[in-house]
Amino acid sequence: EPEVTQTPSHQVTQMGQEVILRCVPISNHLYFYWYRQILGQKVEFLVSFYNNEISEKSEIFDDQFSVERPDGSNFTLKIRSTKLEDSAMYFCASSGQGYQPQHFGDGTRLSIL
Amino acid sequence: QKEVEQNSGPLSVPEGAIASLNCTYSDRGSQSFFWYRQYSGKSPELIMFIYSNGDKEDGRFTAQLNKASQYVSLLIRDSQPSDSATYLCAVKSSSGSARQLTFGSGTQLTVLP
């Protein structure tokens, strides 16, 4: 069964450094998303992406965050200058046409030191 | 502020029993409702989705939706120890093109052998 893949599984970064999280969505999906989950808290929406542009973003997704689809398969989340509070699990998800449900990748655990 | 509320539990049921998980949501215009299962340290895994009032069955799982009461539930029949996990209720925004999911905090289910 097709799945969303994310790399790396764990990223440790010094505060203030840039980090790029990578995702390969399911191949025939059109909508891509990033969510995050701080330890012990809810899954929170960050951003959705369709037709090579951001379609929605939350208050969390400020100027420090950006997303890109650099080629036909990858979807990336960049955090320019990481803060301690960016430490979380980051999940990529994708969905197909219409209102098909979102399928999540295994996540990247981001630890900011 | 769109809210999705779940009883955090923990909910314990004996093996073979029916587990009943409940969720309420604040956005009356919400159209799509999802149940995800999340094992500790893992990503959300789609279990069921429901769009129309009534019941939807898939194997041992039944989702129930009552839009008038803004209530959605998940029943797990013949519960197994492997069903022990946190169950996340997620709701898609009512805004026309919006696809972001708002998650509840999850109900932790333990199935006792």
Side-chain angles (χ1 to χ4, degrees), chain A residues 31 33 35 37 42-43 45 56 89 91 96 98-106, chain B residues 4 34 36 38 42-44 46 49 51 88 92 96 98-101 103-105:
Chain A
Y31 299 87
Y33 314 85
Y35 292 82
Q37 187 175 31
K42 296 182 181 184
V43 176
F45 170 77
E56 306 163 80
M89 280 289 286
F91 296 112
Y99 294 109
Q100 291 185 26
Q102 298 175 25
H103 294 267
F104 285 70
D106 287 341
Chain B
V4 177
F34 306 87
Y36 288 85
Q38 187 175 34
K42 302 296 186 182
S43 64
L46 181 69
F49 57 94
Y51 302 149
L88 307 178
K92 190 190 85 66
R99 292 173 179 269
Q100 63 172 280
L101 297 179
F103 281 83
S105 55

